[in-house]
Amino acid sequence: LALASNGDVFAGLASFTPEVQPGIYRIPKAGGPATLFAKDEALPFPNALAFDGAGTLFATDSGTGSVFRFDGSGHAQRWSTHEALTGDKDGCHGAGPGFAIGANGLVVEKDNVFVVNMDKATVVRIPRDAAGNAGAASVIAGPDCEALGGADGRTAAPDGAFSSGGRSFASTSW
């Protein structure tokens, strides 16, 4: 889930049945039914969602190991892909759900996007240039199955520290 500056709520929905369309749904601030905001064939498992300071929505896709960026009308752009974002169902001694879960928790900052990879027990940094384009992804923490194995969501504290899977990490140590 992600909250837009206007109060609308955005939710990622994965679906394993043809009756339910996977994608990003928007729920208006005033309430009412959720409507499909964005979808893409390469976005079957939208997971974490976050807005940047300019109001651009980003989402991870755990199935394809990708980060997507969406414009205001819901057009999806596969913003970043990299081996470091893909899942490995046998990572961390197969402690996951039995299928690959890669790019997961997400923090979007002005100059960087940080993604936690659940299966590989890593934190990945993707630099952003002045135009907002993705640079080369790199692992900045892990692999560490004890500290990051199974990590799901991700948050940033005002002091710059990160939290993932219930554990805190100081970003200055990376």
Side-chain angles (χ1 to χ4, degrees):
L1 297 173
L3 182 64
S5 61
N6 70 355
D8 288 352
V9 174
F10 288 77
L13 176 68
S15 174
F16 301 101
T17 65
E19 299 83 31
V20 178
Q21 176 68 55
I24 309 295
Y25 287 79
R26 178 177 27 210
I27 304 161
K29 176 182 178 180
T35 57
L36 184 61
F37 170 74
K39 67 177 186 170
D40 189 279
E41 286 191 21
L43 185 70
F45 199 142
N47 202 321
L49 284 76
F51 286 94
D52 70 6
T56 302
L57 180 62
F58 287 78
T60 58
D61 185 88
S62 297
T64 62
S66 304
V67 178
F68 283 81
R69 177 171 62 181
F70 304 90
D71 68 16
S73 65
H75 173 75
Q77 174 195 14
R78 204 170 192 180
W79 184 76
S80 181
T81 60
H82 190 274
E83 176 63 27
L85 299 171
T86 62
D88 177 2
K89 72 178 182 73
D90 297 320
C92 289
H93 315 291
F99 55 90
I101 300 286
N104 204 325
L106 175 70
V107 170
V108 179
E109 296 181 345
K110 179 182 177 189
D111 297 327
N112 295 291
V113 170
F114 297 94
V115 179
V116 66
N117 185 315
M118 181 179 200
D119 283 348
K120 293 181 179 177
T122 57
V123 177
V124 178
R125 180 178 66 88
I126 307 165
R128 294 176 70 188
D129 66 19
N133 299 310
S138 62
V139 174
I140 60 168
D144 186 341
C145 291
E146 186 175 320
L148 292 168
D152 195 340
R154 177 152 185 172
T155 57
D159 69 358
F162 289 104
S163 174
S164 187
R167 296 179 178 93
S168 293
F169 304 91
S171 62
T172 55
S173 66
W174 302 337

